[in-house]
């Protein structure tokens, strides 16, 4: 019996290719108004917490404010919308796109309770900015711990 030296890199490359194909299938979309075969896109988010409020920034380019739905509860924020496919081919031409189209929904849990009735939103240049004031109890939430 001959000894064969194990080379992990070709196996890792094969694994990576299979994982890439799997994620491509999960994120595949159809064009022309049909429902998507999987997840269309998930807008990336930045969150900053201050003493008084929580600030969220979501990157949602290529949409108008009227196409977005923002719902705020005391514990989370739900953002949904739809980016529509607009074919611009003329005279039987073809087009290629790497953009993601279709419906999306993202629910973001918040690290502290907020006053959802006081939430403020602004959408400009593809960035959705949300300012969520904290509940008064959360603002002053500080506990003295005795070391004993």
């Amino acid at each position: 019996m001959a000894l064969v030296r194990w080379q992990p890199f070709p196996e890792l490359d094969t694994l990576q290719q299979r994982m890439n194909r799997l994620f491509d299938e999960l994120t595949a979309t159809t064009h022309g108004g049909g429902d998507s075969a999987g997840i269309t896109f998930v807008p990336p988010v930045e969150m900053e917490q201050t003493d008084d409020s929580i600030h969220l920034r979501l990157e949602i380019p290529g949409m108008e404010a009227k196409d977005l739905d923002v719902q705020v509860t005391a514990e989370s924020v739900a953002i949904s919308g739809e980016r529509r496919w607009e074919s611009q081919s003329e005279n039987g031409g073809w087009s290629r796109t790497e953009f993601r189209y279709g419906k999306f929904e993202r629910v973001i849990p918040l690290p502290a309770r907020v006053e959802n009735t006081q939430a403020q939103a602004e959408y400009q240049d593809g960035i959705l900015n949300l300012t969520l004031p904290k509940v008064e109890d959360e603002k002053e939430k500080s506990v003295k711990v005795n070391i004993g």
Side-chain angles (χ1 to χ4, degrees):
M1 176 183 249
L3 290 177
V4 177
R5 183 179 179 118
W6 180 57
Q7 297 179 348
F9 295 111
E11 292 177 20
L12 289 175
D13 287 340
T14 302
L15 177 63
Q16 182 177 8
Q17 290 171 0
R18 288 181 182 171
M19 293 297 290
N20 287 343
R21 264 187 259 128
L22 173 67
F23 285 114
D24 286 342
E25 290 171 7
L26 286 174
T27 60
T29 61
T30 58
H31 302 302
D35 289 334
S36 66
I39 301 167
T40 54
F41 68 98
V42 178
V45 66
E46 290 180 348
M47 184 183 309
E48 179 184 356
Q49 182 174 210
T50 64
D51 291 338
D52 298 328
S53 60
I54 296 173
H55 301 278
L56 292 175
R57 289 173 33 108
L58 283 92
E59 185 180 50
I60 313 174
M63 296 185 69
E64 295 181 27
K66 66 180 175 68
D67 295 329
L68 297 173
D69 181 36
V70 180
Q71 308 233 351
V72 180
T73 67
E75 294 90 17
S76 66
V77 175
I79 296 109
S80 61
E82 182 175 4
R83 186 183 297 163
R84 292 179 179 82
W85 166 257
E86 297 177 14
S87 179
Q88 298 176 355
S89 303
E90 295 180 13
N91 300 329
W94 64 276
S95 64
R96 175 184 172 176
T97 183
E98 293 181 357
F99 290 2
R100 301 285 185 190
Y101 294 96
K103 295 180 182 180
F104 72 90
E105 183 174 357
R106 175 126 193 220
V107 178
I108 303 162
L110 300 173
R113 292 179 58 82
V114 296
E115 285 287 344
N116 56 340
T117 58
Q118 301 297 319
Q120 297 177 352
E122 177 187 353
Y123 182 70
Q124 185 177 5
D125 297 331
I127 304 293
L128 175 64
N129 290 298
L130 295 170
T131 302
L132 310 167
K134 289 183 181 177
V135 174
E136 288 296 322
D137 294 345
E138 294 289 334
K139 289 181 187 178
E140 300 174 13
K141 193 174 187 178
S142 177
V143 177
K144 172 73 173 152
V145 177
N146 293 323
I147 302 173

